[in-house]
Each structure stands twice: as C-alpha cells, then as structure tokens.
Amino acid sequence: MASFSMEDFVGTGSLKKLLPKLLDDGWDDVPTLKIMNTEDMSAINMNQAQKDALEMRSYLHDRSLMQYADKLEASGKCLAELLNLGISDLSSQFAMKRGHIARFMDRTSQCEADPIPSSFSLPARKPSNPPSRNPSMFKNPSISTQPKLQAMSTRSNIAYDSTIEQSIADFKIKDGYIFKGVVASLPDEPRACGCIQPLPIVDDVAPYSSIENISVQKLTPEYKIGMERLVKTKTPPMRVSDLWRDKPSLLLCIRRPGCIMCRAEAHKLYSKKPIFDALGINLFAVLHEHIESEVRDFWPRYWGGVVLLDKNMDFFKALGGGSLLKDKFISGFLFNPRARANYKRAKAMGIEQNFKGEGEIKGGLFIVGKGKSGIAYQFIERNFGDWAPLAEVIEIGTKLQNQQLNRENSIASRDFE
C-alpha cells in the first residue's frame, strides 16, 4: 500500500530537492500534492523532469506500486513511455512482478475504491479554515443541495471554488437515495445456515451527551513534511469536544490499526483529504488501545491525520448504544460471507497486515458538527470491514458547510438592513 509519508512519496528522485519549496507553498501532504495542476507546477518553477516524476509517482501511488518509483524515475522515461513498454521489458529492466505489471498497465482503474474525481484540482495556496455548523440530526438527509464553498485565500488567479464544487458534485447523492448510516450498508443475516444469529445493532444515532465529555489522548499530530513520527512527550488527556469547538470533525473509530480492512478504510478516507479540507472538516482516527509499534506502522503510512487514544473505549461504546459491539473471529469472519468479501476487497489493495492487539471490538465513524450542534452522522461496522459510503460522508460535510454559509448570509443580510 502506498504511504502518505511525503519523504516516501518523493523518494530519492528529482522531487526530493523541492521538499523545502513544497513545504513553503503549502504542498505538505501527499493527497494535496497529487492534485497539483500544470499552473501550480509552473508557479514553483518545476522542470520537466520533476513534472514527469510527479505524474509517474502519483500514478504509482494510486496503484500501490511505489516500490518501483525510484527505479522507474531513474530510467529517464516519462509515464507515457513506461506504459508503452512490453511485459518483458518491465520485468527485466525493473524487476516488476507479473501481477504488478498487470496493475501498472491498467490505465482505467485505481486499486482503491472511490478514486478522487479527475475533475478535482487544487491550486497552490494556503486555505483558510471555513467554519461549519449543523443541527443535532439531519431529518431528511436524502435532500440534495448544491454546495457553495467559501472562497479561500489565493496566490494565483486559478478558479478554486469551481473545481472543488465539481469534484464534490461527482460524489453527489441523487434524490431518493437511502442513507446507509446509522448501520452497515446491508442488513445482517443469519450465518452458517441459521445456526449463528447476527448481533443486535442499535438503530438510532448516539446522543451527543454520550460523546461530548469523552477524554482522549493525542498520539500523533497531523502529518506534515519533516515531522516526528510520534508525539515524543506524552500529552495530557483532553476533552474531545475541544476538537470540534470551531470546526466539524470526522472521527474514524479503528477496530485494530494492524487489521488489513481497517488500514484500507483509513487509507481510502484520508486520500480524500483535499475535499475535507475544502469542506472545513477535521479528520481524526480513534484507537481503543495503545501499542506504540502499531501506531508507528499505521501513521502516516495508512493515515496522515491526528491519531487519538480513547482508553476507556467510550466512542466504541457509543456506537453500540452504551456497550461494546464485539464479534468472534469464527462467527464474525469465517462464517460471515460479507466480512470475507470485505477482506478480499482490502487484500486487492496490496495492504500488509498483522494480528497484534484486540480485534473483536467493532468500530465505525462519527461526523460531529461545530460546537454543541450534535452528531450529524454515524456509521457502525456491523460486519468486519464495513466502510461508511464515501458519497454519504461527503454529502453530510457539504450540508454542514451549506448550513453555516446560510447562517452567515442571514446574519449579513440583517446587518445590512
């Protein structure tokens, strides 16, 4: 699986010398760097070799083939030339495995589900932090509204808003869509010919009171170029509601950071970081146990955002309506075809795994509105490896931002009158 570490992404090639300039101009994380456009490249005086390297490395990153990036770049060939090579040339010149060659030659797909739309473009600029607000719950989430994104500070004349709006429009949910949150995308079924009954799942979103006073500890910062891999000094516990005091927050509750399906979901979600930045949503991963080696393996390779420790498992209890949702390996995985399908989906992304830590406590996802506005969205991992549908998550983020913009416009209108 391709890492979100900037140092790993640029490798030893021509982009390495650009790291200080990229940091100064705000290109300090991999998801943002990958959507750099031609005008942005010219703005920081990229030469042709560096432009070719960025195109090639972005292509490899999408297909989890970064292990070949340095060799391919050193060949001096651009991506188009490399794609025109035959199987024997790729194998002999770059020691590329046959299965990896097939993935490399497939120009029509990426390894990850829900790739970022081709229309998405983010110019080199340092965005402001647009505030958001949301009522306690969306009563009719199927109603679609057109996103109107708040303008961001710009160093160039590139039209930022229109490209972001188009990218989010690509994830737009159509009228009549039935949202999959609160629970998994499909109802659970009896397993093993009815001998094993599914676990009961709550049907209501957790009350805000169940999460607002949770105490968490920060294990990692948000990843930027050159940062220490872990927080060196143990940070004191903090009240989690401080995280969404000024901006909405998305909290991904990870069952186990070494789990192949948990890593796949985290990687897929964080790869859309530019969209969440535009929507003004903070991203957090929540763990229920602290194994330092596991955190090191997880961050920033699979997740580049802040990682929090919920030592008392309060977020995980909130997902279960007050008690932990747990399932056994045999009943929850071996006898569960949906969980096995989720495993195959993650395996196809080329992700490594281990079996360290507790893996029976199920996770999920929360989107919490600004201040005390409440939980806007909740998704429960009913089957091992269930993912919150990305289109739903982005739709909720868009609604949060629209509500804040409408509120600000209303205030401005009253002041004008």
Side-chain angles (χ1 to χ4, degrees):
M1 171 55 64
S3 172
F4 285 120
S5 164
M6 280 287 287
E7 291 85 349
D8 292 344
F9 181 82
V10 302
T12 60
S14 59
L15 293 174
K16 187 175 183 179
K17 63 180 69 173
L18 272 181
L19 280 178
K21 180 65 174 176
L22 293 171
L23 178 61
D24 289 342
D25 278 16
W27 302 100
D28 47 11
D29 62 71
V30 172
T32 305
L33 181 60
K34 286 171 62 179
I35 56 172
M36 180 182 280
N37 61 30
T38 302
E39 293 181 61
D40 301 324
M41 296 178 191
S42 299
I44 61 174
N45 300 317
M46 269 192 182
N47 58 39
Q48 190 58 48
Q50 291 165 337
K51 293 178 182 178
D52 290 342
L54 179 56
E55 179 186 29
M56 183 265 294
R57 288 179 179 272
S58 297
Y59 184 89
L60 295 175
H61 193 271
D62 288 337
R63 290 157 177 78
S64 301
L65 295 173
M66 288 299 290
Q67 63 268 42
Y68 302 107
D70 288 338
K71 286 184 179 180
L72 292 173
E73 184 180 347
S75 71
K77 295 181 173 65
C78 67
L79 178 60
E81 293 171 326
L82 291 168
L83 288 170
N84 285 327
L85 293 177
I87 295 176
S88 59
D89 292 328
L90 290 170
S91 177
S92 60
Q93 295 180 33
F94 307 109
M96 194 177 289
K97 298 178 180 179
R98 193 172 185 87
H100 292 170
I101 292 174
R103 195 188 304 170
F104 177 75
M105 300 299 288
D106 183 4
R107 310 184 196 195
T108 62
S109 65
Q110 297 177 346
C111 287
E112 297 182 45
D114 302 319
I116 200 164
S118 58
S119 60
F120 192 93
S121 176
L122 179 65
R125 53 178 55 81
K126 297 173 183 177
S128 62
N129 295 326
S132 300
R133 185 177 181 275
N134 176 53
S136 180
M137 271 295 294
F138 293 113
K139 300 300 182 183
N140 188 2
S142 64
I143 297 176
S144 175
T145 56
Q146 176 65 28
K148 179 182 177 184
L149 298 178
Q150 181 167 339
M152 293 178 158
S153 58
T154 174
R155 186 177 51 77
S156 65
N157 294 323
I158 304 172
Y160 176 80
D161 288 350
S162 61
T163 54
I164 293 290
E165 286 184 7
Q166 179 58 46
S167 69
I168 296 176
D170 289 342
F171 288 102
K172 179 61 63 181
I173 289 177
K174 295 180 173 58
D175 291 341
Y177 176 87
I178 304 300
F179 269 58
K180 305 304 187 296
V182 176
V183 294
S185 56
L186 291 172
D188 210 347
E189 297 175 348
R191 306 160 193 168
C193 300
C195 296
I196 301 175
Q197 295 298 316
L199 298 175
I201 298 291
V202 295
D203 293 324
D204 298 318
V205 169
Y208 179 68
S209 59
S210 68
I211 67 167
E212 66 173 328
N213 295 316
I214 291 176
S215 176
V216 295
Q217 183 181 351
K218 185 177 179 181
L219 299 181
T220 76
E222 182 179 3
Y223 174 79
K224 300 295 180 185
I225 300 174
M227 297 193 79
E228 292 289 340
R229 292 302 178 102
L230 292 177
V231 177
K232 281 188 172 182
T233 304
K234 185 176 181 180
T235 59
M238 62 177 292
R239 186 178 175 182
V240 73
S241 57
D242 291 344
L243 299 177
W244 53 77
R245 179 189 297 125
D246 301 317
K247 295 174 64 176
S249 293
L250 182 154
L251 300 107
L252 177 63
C253 299
I254 302 291
R255 178 163 43 83
R256 189 172 60 81
C259 165
I260 188 172
M261 295 174 284
C262 299
R263 288 178 169 184
E265 180 182 18
H267 195 281
K268 178 177 73 86
L269 192 63
Y270 191 75
S271 68
K272 306 305 181 291
K273 179 181 180 292
I275 293 180
F276 293 110
D277 287 345
L279 293 173
I281 297 177
N282 292 321
L283 299 176
F284 301 96
V286 182
L287 308 181
H288 59 72
E289 64 178 344
H290 183 198
I291 303 175
E292 186 169 314
S293 61
E294 290 302 285
V295 179
R296 287 183 181 275
D297 288 344
F298 181 70
W299 185 95
R301 182 171 180 81
Y302 303 101
W303 177 266
V306 173
V307 177
L308 304 170
L309 174 64
D310 175 15
K311 188 175 181 180
N312 295 324
M313 307 183 189
D314 291 322
F315 273 112
F316 298 84
K317 292 174 183 176
L319 287 168
S323 58
L324 295 174
L325 293 171
K326 302 182 72 173
D327 210 343
K328 299 294 185 181
F329 175 75
I330 294 177
S331 61
F333 182 76
L334 293 182
F335 290 157
N336 188 341
R338 289 179 185 156
R340 297 199 304 272
N342 289 338
Y343 175 83
K344 292 178 181 178
R345 174 179 59 176
K347 190 72 172 177
M349 294 169 62
I351 294 177
E352 298 177 355
Q353 64 176 324
N354 63 53
F355 297 96
K356 298 178 182 177
E358 204 286 332
E360 295 182 350
I361 298 173
K362 293 184 176 180
L365 181 145
F366 290 100
I367 300 178
V368 186
K370 173 185 172 183
K372 294 181 177 292
S373 54
I375 298 173
Y377 181 80
Q378 175 179 320
F379 183 87
I380 298 172
E381 182 188 25
R382 170 172 287 187
N383 305 288
F384 286 137
D386 282 341
W387 296 351
L390 187 60
E392 288 187 8
V393 173
I394 293 176
E395 180 79 358
I396 296 298
T398 301
K399 289 178 182 292
L400 288 171
Q401 189 176 64
N402 285 341
Q403 289 183 355
Q404 175 64 18
L405 291 174
N406 291 338
R407 178 173 176 273
E408 291 175 352
N409 290 338
S410 177
I411 293 174
S413 296
R414 290 199 302 267
D415 292 343
F416 181 76
E417 294 173 357

